[in-house]
Amino acid sequence: MKRLVIIGNGMVGQRLIEAVRARDDGGEWSVTVLAEEGRPAYDRVKLSAFFDGSSAEDLNLHTPDAGVDLRLGEPAASVDLADRVVTTAAGAYRYDALVFATGSYPFVPPVDGKDLPGVFVYRTLDDLEAIREYARGRHIGAVIGGGLLGLEAANAMRLLGLSTHVIEFAPRLMPVQIDEAGGAMLRRYVEDLGVTVHTGTGTTALNAGPDGAVATLSLSNGAVVKADMVIVAAGIRPRDDVARAAGLAVGPRGGILVDGTGRTSAEDVYAVGECAAVDGVCYGLVAPGYAQAEVVADRLMGGAATFPGADLSTKLKLLGVDVASFGDAHGTAEGCLDVTFTDPATRVYAKLVLSDDAKTLLGGVLVGDATGYPALRAGVGLALSAPPLTLLAPAGAEADAGAGLAALPGSAQVCSCNAVTKDTIVDAIHAQGCADVPALKACTRAGTSCGSCVPMLKQLLTLEGVTQSKALCEHFDHSRQELFDIVRVRNIRSFSALIAEAGRGKGCDICKPVVASILASLHTGYVLEGEQASLQDTNDHFLANIQRNGTYSVVPRIPGGEITPEKLIVIGEVARDFHLYTKITGGQRIDLFGARVEQLPLIWKRLVDAGFESGHAYGKSLRTVKSCVGSTWCRYGVQDSVGLAVALELRYRGLRSPHKLKSAVSGCARECAEARSKDFGIIATDNGWNLYVGGNGGFRPRHADLFATDLSTEELVRTIDRFLIFYIRSADRLQRTAAWIESLDGGLDHLRDVIVHDSLGLCAELDAAMAGHITNYADEWAATLDDPDRLSRFVSFVNAPDAPDPSISFTVERGQPVPVSSSAEGRQPVLLGMPAVTEGSPA
Amino acid sequence: MIIDVAFQPVCPLDRLEPDRGVAALVNGVQIALFRTSDGELFAVGNRDPISHAYVMSRGIVGSRADVPTVASPLHKQVYDLRTGTCLDVADVSLPVYPVRVSEDSVVEVAVE
Ligand code: SRM
Ligand SMILES: Cc1cc2nc3c(=O)[nH]c(=O)nc-3n(C[C@H](O)[C@H](O)[C@H](O)COP(=O)(O)OP(=O)(O)OC[C@H]3O[C@@H](n4cnc5c(N)ncnc54)[C@H](O)[C@@H]3O)c2cc1C
Ligand code: SF4
Ligand code: FES
């Protein structure tokens, strides 16, 4: 077996491992990876997501592989090209082939004070952890560098709650990617977010304060900027130190010199990714690196692949603003023409670069709206698919992107990160039966890196005749969101009116509960009023949760998990008197199981008289707002988490939604209430509250993302109000908040735009809707007990109201009643454990 | 064939809400009784053949194509109310019982 040694386990090194493992069918190579960082490869492109709630695990790219010896925290110190040995502090490794994948290091200009405490670079997860740690309790940050990385770093500072300055030497932001007019538009967006931009000026010194840490920056225009911390994002340099020392040739501007096959100046030694200078040029993007990794893997297997050259197109979402540049963005080609489009009202800037005869698309820049990007980028070098202005106008972009896509030749690259062509995708759709985006991702890898080609994958599916149906069920062609709008706009009050207007047939167990929930969200009132009763699932119908043996459970609301001894005693007495199995739930309250329908009103009468309300354990609605003890008792607590949890639970109780809603409030960053596993979670800070959204446990656990920091209680409540109503209005059936946010075009940033910056002008309406809910809330159980008609539903048998259901019987386990044979038969997933009482023989 | 005399009164017609079921105990047999919004009546067994719990009367009433249906409230399998046949799982069905309304608007079911 031959040994391949790879130096560096970054994004490209990782891709090389995968490419080699995928091709090496004969098991020819054993792979040893020497990695400087202490953790396996992670997605550096998405690094900033770390400040938006993603954890280090979320970014992980590496899966353990028995054929790969990954040596973390063991950097290569030197290479002996003659003996073919790599040496580290821990050992020496002989190689048959060696690949450098050492990436870049951040360039720090040689200004005074660059080594002061409080000065950081932005490259690794360790850097980000240090930044987060240092930012605690600090207020002002500055970023040196207004390029891609600098703006990402500025956003990170914002998310950490610092007021932020960006200092850029060039006269505009992102000088490498975009032109002057685009830079000006971008600047307006960035300044609106409260970031102060200084362009056309350098940093001459970083100055220490009395504590010895950085406190101010001196700029070349004479200004002095106060800053408690500084991030330097002034560019990157290839890491060619070890290669240089070994005697490998380097490029004129640094980087390990390689040819189109990835080979360096030494036999069997290659370089890939940012450390490689391909014919003298280093690429600072991941896609060219991936292409190089594929080439080298092919060569190692004896293939003849060569690096096709790089597409330096990029699409970014920086501080919530779409920015894209593609092809010859700066118009360097001989005699080329520019077509530009600027709309100050919608803040959209776009430029297309065309060949001298205006027939071929060469490149372009988009700021503010990059919907057209995927199709435009794929069209570079091809004849224009429509008149330039049609391609640029944002309104037309979406529709025309589809048309443009149809016109593209099969060899056009749809996914540039993974070099997937239109042909490959169309083939996956037809020959391999891929019917949605996840299937296409799995089959072709398209869309799995930066994600910007995903809209094109969707359009291709549509173009190829795969309909991704949004129909709720056979009775409605609409999605839940569309039905919500129809009900709201046409003021529809009943299922029969809706199905007559917009559907067909009689409805079913899918559409009826959905419509019931929509009606309940819009016209808050008793959920079993009139015809609405027939729409409800049995749980909502009996205001209790059905169990495997046909009995129900009873869950009184215990807001925030706080309960008086008197109330605890009442629960105990009720459970004892009705022989109910009793359990403390995972939601900080108490569940009583085994009630027959005719017992439910009697049980609830006792509970309501003692001051309890429905806990809505049965509804798609707010479940619990869990709390930790918080500042009232806990020695660490900084805010009253119980008080807030109780207030929130009372505010949102009874709110009907597409799926259940859960929340929690923790009194400090120790997070004992597990708020980050909730749809909306709140963690106390010294200055107020941090709000996280889109978390859940369940089948696919997900941590919530940080949405806003240091809110006052009033700001917090207003933000949550809007978040919830917007979710209720626009989410799909049974879509928890996490999936809903993922499905929004523009994701979390878009959500922030809508509910914080009111970009859709909806906020007043959302606020009013929540106010309506709060005023109209009434406890469903109290309302049921008050009305003899409603109570008449609660019988086991219509013709024998006093007879209990003879099929229900219990046995005793650990001192409590449980359904008969729950343990014997209960392991089978579908056959629920009930004795098979034959028809006609009451047990 | 069930003969006419076996019909037994269960409850007044107006006790049945449209598109919702009730359970009845007739000769010791549990029946699920439904009235659809078209005014049709159906009587099937109350026992869910899949879970063995007596809950069919609490399912959601609807339609599949032109077939009037009820869905089990536990695991949502759908049944044809006219024949009792399960439309989702092969070889599973509910017993069906003759049902009618008497002249004085009482629902009657025939159970052997
Ligand atoms: C009672 C309880 C378990 C316990 O003994 O602790 C429970 C019991 C049920 N859970 Fe749960 N869940 C309970 C806490 C949880 C938790 C923990 C939490 O809330 O902190 C989770 C994970 C957190 C989350 O939801 O994100 C949880 C995730 C689920 C899920 C998966 C949801 C998902 O998005 O993947 C379901 C299924 C569903 O809702 O579709 C579910 C569904 C159910 C149902 C309703 C199943 C059903 O339809 O019959 C259970 C019936 C309860 C009943 O009859 O009263 N339960 N369930 C807990 C009640 C909490 C409460 O006081 O309301
Ligand atoms: C915040 C941020 C945002 C970015 N956004 C984008 C984007 O949107 N689009 C895009 O295309 N690109 C983006 N990039 C660039 C992209 O991350 C890089 O192009 C890519 O990571 C390069 O991969 P690589 O494997 O060459 O280098 P790296 O991922 O840097 O990996 C190199 C690894 O080698 C290790 N190493 C170095 N020397 C040694 C040694 N002697 N021994 C052992 N190990 C060693 C390093 O510690 C490192 O782990 C971004 C980068 C950052 C930092
Ligand atoms: S989260 Fe903080 S305040 Fe709350 S109980 Fe835990 S340590 Fe105490
Ligand atoms: S273009 Fe980046 S994932 Fe497809």
Side-chain angles (χ1 to χ4, degrees):
Chain A
M1 208 148 70
K2 293 191 280 186
R3 183 193 255 167
L4 168 66
V5 175
I6 303 174
I7 306 181
N9 186 226
M11 296 187 74
V12 175
Q14 177 62 28
R15 182 59 168 265
L16 178 66
I17 300 177
E18 287 163 25
V20 168
R21 300 292 294 158
R23 286 181 169 85
D24 185 17
D25 299 327
E28 198 187 338
W29 291 94
S30 79
V31 182
T32 301
V33 183
L34 303 174
E36 176 188 58
E37 291 186 69
R39 48 183 126 221
Y42 51 86
D43 194 342
R44 207 177 299 287
V45 169
K46 300 219 180 83
L47 198 60
S48 298
F50 185 69
F51 291 121
D52 237 336
S54 293
S55 63
E57 298 87 82
D58 294 339
L59 298 177
N60 177 50
L61 290 177
H62 181 82
T63 35
D65 181 328
V68 177
D69 181 18
L70 174 59
R71 306 191 153 258
L72 294 177
E74 189 182 336
S78 63
V79 174
D80 184 331
L81 294 173
D83 285 353
R84 299 185 161 229
V85 170
V86 184
T87 310
T88 70
Y93 303 85
R94 232 174 207 301
Y95 64 80
D96 295 293
L98 173 66
V99 184
F100 283 88
T102 48
S104 303
Y105 66 89
F107 169 67
V108 180
V111 294
D112 284 348
K114 68 182 173 52
D115 298 321
L116 288 174
V119 181
F120 297 87
V121 294
Y122 200 80
R123 178 81 195 173
T124 64
L125 272 172
D126 288 349
D127 293 336
L128 269 62
E129 279 175 351
I131 289 169
R132 181 162 68 184
E133 193 55 39
Y134 194 84
R136 286 220 172 99
R138 299 188 205 261
H139 305 290
I140 311 173
V143 177
I144 301 181
L148 183 165
L149 281 182
L151 292 180
E152 289 220 5
N155 197 32
M157 285 195 163
R158 268 184 70 234
L159 289 174
L160 290 169
L162 275 67
S163 73
T164 307
H165 295 262
V166 171
I167 298 140
E168 168 58 49
F169 188 69
R172 60 172 182 276
L173 293 174
M174 291 187 69
V176 180
Q177 288 86 358
I178 60 182
D179 60 354
E180 208 169 312
M185 189 69 82
L186 178 60
R187 178 182 186 135
R188 247 177 277 167
Y189 279 105
V190 172
E191 288 180 337
D192 269 8
L193 294 170
V195 174
T196 313
V197 178
H198 312 255
T199 49
T201 181
T203 308
T204 51
L206 305 179
N207 316 303
D211 61 352
V214 70
T216 61
L217 291 84
S218 308
L219 305 189
S220 57
N221 63 7
V224 173
V225 172
K226 268 193 169 175
D228 303 330
M229 64 185 295
V230 174
I231 298 178
V232 182
I236 53 171
R237 297 287 182 269
R239 292 194 65 175
D240 54 14
D241 43 340
V242 176
R244 248 179 225 267
L248 288 176
V250 293
R253 308 173 65 189
I256 308 166
L257 196 61
V258 298
D259 61 14
T261 72
R263 258 201 50 187
T264 65
S265 55
E267 190 88 23
D268 295 321
V269 180
Y270 300 82
V272 292
E274 287 189 346
C275 66
V278 186
D279 297 324
V281 182
C282 294
Y283 297 101
L285 292 173
V286 74
Y290 280 174
Q292 292 162 27
E294 299 286 343
V295 168
V296 169
D298 182 71
R299 291 271 163 180
L300 289 172
M301 303 302 142
T306 53
F307 182 56
D311 175 3
L312 295 184
S313 305
T314 33
K315 179 187 157 213
L316 309 154
K317 187 148 204 121
L318 287 166
L319 301 118
V321 190
D322 278 335
V323 180
S325 82
F326 52 95
D328 182 8
H330 292 300
T332 56
E334 180 76 37
C336 63
L337 309 166
D338 283 358
V339 181
T340 60
F341 171 93
T342 315
D343 183 350
T346 54
R347 296 213 173 164
V348 170
Y349 170 79
K351 173 176 91 168
L352 292 186
V353 180
L354 308 179
S355 60
D356 52 2
D357 59 359
K359 288 196 175 134
T360 308
L361 180 63
L362 299 180
V365 173
L366 307 170
V367 176
D369 177 353
T371 5
Y373 169 76
L376 287 170
R377 187 203 57 201
V380 169
L382 305 171
L384 285 178
S385 60
L389 268 179
T390 328
L391 289 175
L392 280 184
E398 190 106 49
D400 276 282
L405 202 52
L408 284 184
S411 58
Q413 250 183 34
V414 169
C415 174
S416 65
C417 289
N418 298 286
V420 184
T421 61
K422 182 177 157 189
D423 272 345
T424 311
I425 294 189
V426 170
D427 182 66
I429 294 172
H430 295 300
Q432 309 187 50
C434 295
D436 52 20
V437 172
L440 282 177
K441 284 185 174 176
C443 254
T444 66
R445 281 191 101 132
T448 54
S449 304
C450 73
S452 69
C453 58
V454 168
M456 266 216 291
L457 300 182
K458 282 192 197 148
Q459 286 161 357
L460 274 174
L461 283 163
T462 313
L463 279 177
E464 295 306 311
V466 181
T467 34
Q468 292 149 290
S469 173
K470 55 179 170 43
L472 196 57
C473 61
E474 68 173 68
H475 305 103
F476 290 98
D477 294 332
H478 308 275
S479 66
R480 177 188 179 277
Q481 174 179 12
E482 289 166 340
L483 285 179
F484 197 103
D485 289 337
I486 294 173
V487 171
R488 185 167 60 93
V489 174
R490 304 194 198 160
N491 195 20
I492 289 173
R493 299 261 164 182
S494 70
F495 180 80
S496 43
L498 180 65
I499 204 160
E501 273 207 38
R504 65 183 79 84
K506 302 230 149 269
C508 64
D509 58 301
I510 294 174
C511 58
K512 283 185 163 182
V514 166
V515 174
S517 157
I518 293 173
L519 291 170
S521 303
L522 280 171
H523 318 291
T524 337
Y526 185 63
V527 294
L528 298 178
E529 206 55 72
E531 190 197 90
Q532 246 183 288
S534 75
L535 307 180
Q536 307 288 2
D537 213 332
T538 184
N539 285 2
D540 278 293
H541 197 71
F542 289 111
L543 306 171
N545 289 43
I546 197 166
Q547 304 297 317
R548 60 196 310 141
N549 64 351
T551 62
Y552 289 81
S553 70
V554 168
V555 188
R557 189 168 293 292
I558 301 180
E562 187 184 63
I563 188 165
T564 60
E566 286 71 26
K567 281 190 158 177
L568 263 182
I569 290 167
V570 172
I571 291 186
E573 286 171 348
V574 168
R576 183 194 57 208
D577 296 351
F578 289 88
H579 306 288
L580 302 174
Y581 170 94
T582 307
K583 182 175 187 302
I584 310 276
T585 72
Q588 297 189 342
R589 49 189 187 173
I590 300 172
D591 202 340
L592 311 175
F593 291 84
R596 295 188 308 269
V597 275
E598 74 273 13
Q599 292 179 311
L600 288 171
L602 306 171
I603 293 169
W604 273 103
K605 174 91 179 62
R606 297 260 301 264
L607 293 171
V608 168
D609 286 347
F612 284 105
E613 293 185 342
S614 166
H616 293 101
Y618 47 82
K620 297 289 174 244
S621 54
L622 179 81
R623 292 285 162 86
T624 56
V625 182
K626 303 212 283 190
S627 71
C628 75
V629 282
S631 58
T632 317
W633 291 95
C634 177
R635 63 193 163 132
Y636 295 117
V638 293
Q639 305 282 352
D640 176 14
S641 49
V642 182
L644 181 68
V646 171
L648 292 178
E649 186 157 341
L650 294 179
R651 187 172 180 87
Y652 302 126
R653 64 188 162 181
L655 184 67
R656 300 282 159 155
S657 47
H659 207 318
K660 57 193 180 189
L661 285 166
K662 296 181 177 183
S663 177
V665 185
S666 281
C668 84
R670 285 167 192 75
E671 243 283 72
C672 298
E674 299 169 309
R676 285 197 61 204
S677 66
K678 300 297 170 210
D679 296 281
F680 55 106
I682 298 107
I683 302 178
T685 69
D686 291 337
N687 309 317
W689 309 99
N690 282 355
L691 172 62
Y692 293 80
V693 297
N696 56 248
F699 183 67
R700 198 162 68 94
R702 188 184 182 286
H703 273 151
D705 295 321
L706 181 60
F707 189 71
T709 49
D710 287 337
L711 300 174
S712 67
T713 305
E714 192 193 331
E715 288 166 336
L716 172 79
V717 168
R718 189 174 57 227
T719 311
I720 303 175
D721 283 358
R722 292 173 180 174
F723 171 73
L724 292 177
I725 299 284
F726 190 49
Y727 164 65
I728 289 170
R729 290 201 169 180
S730 56
D732 218 339
R733 162 182 184 264
L734 296 185
Q735 191 176 39
R736 290 282 295 262
T737 53
W740 168 67
I741 295 171
E742 278 168 21
S743 76
L744 291 176
D745 268 342
L748 203 63
D749 289 324
H750 172 66
L751 188 61
R752 213 175 266 129
D753 285 347
V754 173
I755 68 188
V756 181
H757 308 303
D758 201 9
S759 63
L760 299 182
L762 264 184
C763 286
E765 226 181 279
L766 301 179
D767 293 344
M770 186 58 85
H773 163 74
I774 293 161
T775 346
N776 292 325
Y777 168 81
D779 175 35
E780 284 160 12
W781 264 109
T784 305
L785 295 172
D786 282 349
D787 183 331
D789 273 355
R790 292 169 181 174
L791 279 178
S792 66
R793 293 197 180 106
F794 291 86
V795 291
S796 280
F797 300 109
V798 66
N799 59 343
D802 300 322
D805 178 348
S807 74
I808 292 172
S809 55
F810 297 98
T811 170
V812 171
E813 238 178 59
R814 293 183 297 279
Q816 294 212 68
V818 295
V820 169
S821 83
S822 71
S823 46
E825 252 187 272
R827 290 204 190 91
Q828 283 146 316
V830 179
L831 298 172
L832 294 183
M834 267 304 297
V837 181
T838 35
E839 241 74 23
S841 59
Chain B
M1 235 356 240
I2 313 259
I3 44 166
D4 210 25
V5 282
F7 275 100
Q8 300 194 30
V10 175
C11 66
L13 179 61
D14 59 16
R15 182 68 182 71
L16 300 186
E17 291 175 60
D19 282 346
R20 198 82 228 184
V22 297
L25 200 53
V26 183
N27 290 350
V29 177
Q30 288 205 30
I31 310 287
L33 205 54
F34 300 93
R35 176 190 184 181
T36 65
S37 47
D38 306 335
E40 271 194 280
L41 290 179
F42 297 100
V44 297
N46 194 31
R47 177 173 179 266
D48 175 351
I50 304 224
S51 69
H52 303 181
Y54 286 72
V55 295
M56 290 309 300
S57 61
R58 304 178 207 154
I60 289 183
V61 174
S63 68
R64 211 176 253 192
D66 293 330
V67 180
T69 57
V70 63
S72 161
L74 278 173
H75 292 286
K76 318 286 172 186
Q77 296 86 3
V78 172
Y79 296 84
D80 184 339
L81 278 173
R82 299 167 313 187
T83 63
T85 311
C86 182
L87 302 178
D88 292 327
V89 186
D91 300 327
V92 170
S93 63
L94 301 168
V96 286
Y97 303 96
V99 55
R100 67 181 190 190
V101 184
S102 73
E103 275 165 20
D104 50 354
S105 288
V106 169
V107 180
E108 299 178 337
V109 181
V111 179
E112 253 184 302

